[in-house]
Amino acid sequence: MPVIIKRIIFFATLLLIWHGIYLLGIWPESMIPSPLTVAETIYAGFSDMTLVYDIVASFRHLFIGLAISLVIGTLLGVLLAKVKTADETLGTMILALQSVPSIVWVPLAIIWFGFTEASIIFVVVIGGTFVMTMNMRIGIKNVAPIYMQAARTMGSKGMDLFFKVVVPASIPHAVTGVRLAWAFSWRALMAGEMLSTGPGLGYTLSYASDFNNMSLVIGIIIIIGVIGSIVDQLVFQRIENKVLRRWGMGEAA
């Protein structure tokens, strides 16, 4: 059976179970709205453009923050891979900070930047930087020694060796880092927007929760999940698989 058919059956079953729970009336509709009510709420949000504005605002925050995090993460990754002292000191701190949830950075961002877009972008940057740093570090440190020896034998050294051998050889790890940075930044974005003054999907989610609009809460959760899944599988996963195959690592993909 094709994968797409399996997924359609799976999600159709989930909807039927959800609707069945709603019909049983165990919980009030304010807690468990029907799938039809949620669909109508999503449709209304797109019809009056409020959800469109939220999605556009969220992607603006994401793209700015992700771009900054990729630049900072790449530079830090190169630094940790090439400078032993930096790896033994700064690297330890980055490894520790990587485990800190993004929501923890929100109070700090609000104190530093207030309830502005800068706070959201700061949280997104933090969310993506550390994972990109660690992947770049691993990618550069794991360049096969035989490549380095072969290049040195042919007279390559210094910056020539770095840009012609080290950088190309570390690209698979860098692409994986970009994909993970996107995922972490997307999660961080929602955490930052939930405590912002809007616009954005996270802000509207928090607003809907405050007014007990459960159909909108569930609708936005679905939108966040669908966008995250589509971007990851149709964009980043495909890029990653192509790069891994190009570098002779297709089996690992």
Side-chain angles (χ1 to χ4, degrees), residues 16 33 43-44 82 99-100 104 110 128 134 150 153 168 170 187 194 197 215 218 222 230 238:
L16 289 175
Y43 176 78
K82 305 302 290 184
S99 62
V100 177
V104 174
I110 293 175
M134 299 314 294
T153 301
S170 63
R187 298 170 193 168
M194 285 185 70
T197 56
S215 61
I218 295 177
I222 292 173
I230 288 175
R238 289 188 175 188

Side-chain angles (χ1 to χ4, degrees), residues 164-204:
K164 291 185 177 177
V165 178
V166 176
V167 171
S170 63
I171 283 180
H173 283 88
V175 173
T176 300
V178 172
R179 182 186 174 193
L180 292 174
W182 139 260
F184 279 71
S185 296
W186 182 242
R187 298 170 193 168
L189 172 69
M190 294 305 139
E193 286 186 344
M194 285 185 70
L195 295 178
S196 73
T197 56
L201 287 172
Y203 166 75
T204 303

Side-chain angles (χ1 to χ4, degrees), residues 44-188:
F46 280 105
S47 296
D48 61 18
M49 299 297 286
T50 55
L51 287 179
V52 175
Y53 294 140
D54 286 332
I55 291 173
V56 171
S58 291
F59 270 92
R60 185 176 68 250
H61 300 149
L62 177 70
F63 286 145
I64 296 173
L66 181 60
I68 296 173
S69 70
L70 293 182
V71 172
I72 297 175
T74 300
L75 295 176
L76 285 176
V78 173
L79 176 66
L80 298 187
K82 305 302 290 184
V83 181
K84 186 178 179 182
T85 301
D87 191 32
E88 293 173 343
T89 53
L90 181 61
T92 305
M93 185 184 75
I94 290 177
L95 193 62
L97 293 177
Q98 189 181 12
S99 62
V100 177
S102 299
I103 189 71
V104 174
W105 296 101
V106 174
L108 183 66
I110 293 175
I111 292 172
W112 282 357
F113 303 103
F115 292 96
T116 64
E117 287 190 328
S119 293
I120 301 172
I121 293 172
F122 172 79
V123 176
V124 174
V125 171
I126 294 295
T129 296
F130 301 137
V131 66
M132 186 65 193
T133 299
M134 299 314 294
N135 272 273
M136 277 304 301
R137 173 186 172 276
I138 293 172
I140 292 176
K141 289 179 78 71
N142 285 350
V143 174
I146 191 171
Y147 295 161
M148 306 290 286
Q149 294 170 3
R152 289 194 180 102
T153 301
M154 291 184 286
S156 180
K157 59 182 179 180
M159 298 302 287
D160 182 75
L161 180 69
F162 179 76
F163 284 107
K164 291 185 177 177
V165 178
V166 176
V167 171
S170 63
I171 283 180
H173 283 88
V175 173
T176 300
V178 172
R179 182 186 174 193
L180 292 174
W182 139 260
F184 279 71
S185 296
W186 182 242
R187 298 170 193 168

